[in-house]
Structure formats: structure tokens, C-alpha cells
Amino acid sequence: MPSIFGSAPILAVVAIQLLLIPSVVSSLNVTNEYIHHACNNTQGKFKPGSVFEKNLNIALKNISAFNLHKGFALDSNMDRPYKNIPPDTAFVMLQCRGDSYGSKCRSCLATALSGLRKKCPRNKAGTIWYDQCTLDISTYSAGDSRILYDNYFCKENPKDLSGDTQMFIKKKVAFTEKLLSEVKKLGKNGKGPLYATGETMIGTKKLYGMMQCTDELYENGCYVCLDWIISEHPLCGREKQGVRYLCRSCNARFELYPFLRT
């Protein structure tokens, strides 16, 4: 694909991570809708042909070399460890959803690059969320095992619940805790994908759930991030048919319809 931030052509490819917790979902039409974006204005903007733009293109080119078996993409124009970071260093972090792989992941990346350029033109830092991936660009990295607490939000399903809402809410909370306990087992010793899915019956309805973290949050970081972001929005989605919790480092989603591939 053509470069989004410069003139040099760049083939952008991202690795995904996949862990299947048994789920029966078929005949599913998964979209890649735009969810939200956040332009970080504190890091300023870059000019065409600037050092930052050149470094950003290097970071995007580096990501294109990642193989598809690694579950997360974080790279820059400089080598790790990220210490004594010089000015105009560019970092690109990309996470595709665990069930979005191959062409779907590459398609989401192309969409995210184009979307971030339009919504945050020439910003040195910004984040954009789509249904299938998250793209983050910045001038710094806090290093491994980091939780990026800024730019977090909650998005409700616009449809209201019907029937016994209190029973539904109670069982959804229990289901959330169950998925969090699954997440706690992931990423031990820096290994394994930080992605968990599940489903549960609530009366005659089936509730589907998904939780995911960036690969930087191994050990207990993933659980800490998800527990925090859900706790920050205790009333969000309580009487709705679904809800999403998103930040730069982790996300969770619950819906009354199947939104995951088998």
C-alpha cells in the first residue's frame, strides 16, 4: 500500500494472536466499523519531509517485516531496549483482534492508517480504534510491561435491555469475573496470547464475551489493565444489550449477538 505519512511506498503487515476458548458461532458477518479516535496534541505535529516523518516510515517498514505468527506489533526507528530515546523517535503499536488474521488484519491496518491520517493529520501521536484492530503512534515508549492509561473510554450498545434487567446485570458481572480469571492465567513468563473469549446463557439469551491485551502486558499486567478499565466505568452498559471497554493497552466486549468468528 502507499505510504500514509510519507512518499516512500510501504507494505504494512501486522502479526495477530489467537487463542480459541470453545465457542459455537457460524454464518457470521463480521464488520470493521470505526469505533473512536484520540489525537494527542501534546506531542505536536510534524512537517512533510521532517526527521520524524522519515522515522515514522522506518517504523512502519519494520512492522511490515513481522511474521504473522507473532501476536503483537510494536516497533520504532531505533532498536530495543528503548533507553535514552532521542528526539523525533517514532513508535508504532498495532494490535489486531485475536480472530482477525491474514487479509482481514492487513485490511484493518490499511483502514486504520488512512483513518488516523484523516482524523489526526500530521499529529506525532494518536490512537484509532476499529472493530478489528487498534493503531497507536507516538514519540515515546515506556518500555515493556507497560499499561497506557490515557485515552480510555466505554461505548454502549445503543439497544436497551428487556425483561429482568437486574438478573441480566448480575449474571453479566459474574461472566465478566469468569473471563477475567481466564485472562489471569495468560501471558505467564511472557508466553502465550493475551486473548480470551467465552459465552454464557442468561435465561433464554446467550451472552458473548471477549477480552484482549497488547503483548507488552504479560505476567499480571493484562488482568490489571482489564480490571481497571472495567472498574472505571461501573454504570456503563448496565441496561444495554452490549458494551465495549477500550484503552490503548487492553479492551473487552460483551454482546447479546455473536460477534466473533468460530
Side-chain angles (χ1 to χ4, degrees), residues 189-230:
N189 300 316
K191 298 179 180 179
L194 303 180
Y195 176 70
T197 67
E199 57 187 51
T200 188
M201 294 300 300
I202 302 181
T204 59
K205 301 175 181 178
K206 184 175 286 189
L207 181 67
Y208 301 89
M210 177 188 73
M211 292 183 175
Q212 185 170 17
C213 297
T214 61
D215 226 25
E216 300 289 275
L217 302 189
Y218 49 79
E219 296 299 342
N220 202 43
C222 187
Y223 171 81
V224 171
C225 185
L226 286 163
D227 184 59
W228 164 78
I229 195 172
I230 292 172

Side-chain angles (χ1 to χ4, degrees), residues 102-115:
S103 62
K104 294 180 177 64
C105 187
R106 287 188 288 273
S107 176
C108 185
L109 173 56
T111 301
L113 284 168
S114 177

Side-chain angles (χ1 to χ4, degrees), residues 113-134:
L113 284 168
S114 177
L116 192 60
R117 181 193 182 192
K118 292 176 182 177
K119 296 180 182 298
C120 304
R122 300 206 173 275
N123 278 67
K124 288 186 176 181
T127 310
I128 193 163
W129 291 265
Y130 284 85
D131 190 32
Q132 305 297 310
C133 68
T134 301

Side-chain angles (χ1 to χ4, degrees), residues 42-262:
T42 62
Q43 296 184 43
K45 292 178 176 279
F46 63 89
K47 296 180 180 179
S50 64
V51 174
F52 180 84
E53 183 179 56
K54 293 176 181 177
N55 289 341
L56 182 58
N57 284 334
I58 290 172
L60 290 170
K61 185 176 181 179
N62 289 345
I63 284 179
S64 71
F66 280 48
N67 77 54
L68 293 175
H69 299 292
K70 186 173 175 62
F72 169 71
L74 169 65
D75 217 303
S76 75
N77 59 291
M78 60 181 290
D79 297 328
R80 292 197 186 196
Y82 300 138
K83 296 179 180 179
N84 301 318
I85 300 172
D88 293 315
T89 299
F91 290 88
V92 178
M93 184 171 69
L94 184 66
Q95 179 71 67
C96 277
R97 208 170 80 176
D99 63 339
S100 295
Y101 49 91
S103 62
K104 294 180 177 64
C105 187
R106 287 188 288 273
S107 176
C108 185
L109 173 56
T111 301
L113 284 168
S114 177
L116 192 60
R117 181 193 182 192
K118 292 176 182 177
K119 296 180 182 298
C120 304
R122 300 206 173 275
N123 278 67
K124 288 186 176 181
T127 310
I128 193 163
W129 291 265
Y130 284 85
D131 190 32
Q132 305 297 310
C133 68
T134 301
L135 175 67
D136 182 83
I137 291 174
S138 68
T139 61
Y140 66 90
S141 169
D144 296 339
S145 301
R146 60 184 185 152
I147 299 177
L148 303 173
Y149 287 107
D150 55 334
N151 296 336
Y152 64 92
F153 66 100
C154 176
K155 182 178 181 181
E156 298 177 325
N157 185 315
K159 296 183 179 180
D160 294 328
L161 283 173
S162 60
D164 190 341
T165 58
Q166 291 305 312
M167 182 270 288
F168 184 92
I169 292 170
K170 183 178 180 180
K171 291 203 171 185
K172 187 175 79 171
V173 170
F175 180 48
T176 301
E177 292 298 324
K178 181 180 178 182
L179 270 186
L180 280 172
S181 68
E182 293 290 337
V183 168
K184 222 171 187 179
K185 303 173 186 176
L186 302 176
K188 297 299 181 183
N189 300 316
K191 298 179 180 179
L194 303 180
Y195 176 70
T197 67
E199 57 187 51
T200 188
M201 294 300 300
I202 302 181
T204 59
K205 301 175 181 178
K206 184 175 286 189
L207 181 67
Y208 301 89
M210 177 188 73
M211 292 183 175
Q212 185 170 17
C213 297
T214 61
D215 226 25
E216 300 289 275
L217 302 189
Y218 49 79
E219 296 299 342
N220 202 43
C222 187
Y223 171 81
V224 171
C225 185
L226 286 163
D227 184 59
W228 164 78
I229 195 172
I230 292 172
S231 299
E232 283 292 299
H233 304 88
L235 301 179
C236 184
R238 284 180 63 83
E239 296 187 4
K240 299 294 183 178
Q241 292 187 19
V243 63
R244 302 175 193 240
Y245 306 91
L246 300 105
C247 71
R248 295 167 67 194
S249 293
C250 63
N251 66 84
R253 184 178 181 184
F254 300 92
E255 300 286 2
L256 278 176
Y257 65 89
F259 62 91
L260 294 163
R261 296 182 181 88
T262 302

Side-chain angles (χ1 to χ4, degrees), residues 26-42:
S26 60
S27 302
L28 183 62
N29 180 21
V30 179
T31 63
N32 186 39
E33 64 174 320
Y34 160 79
I35 301 173
H36 186 65
H37 75 278
C39 304
N40 186 331
N41 295 317
T42 62

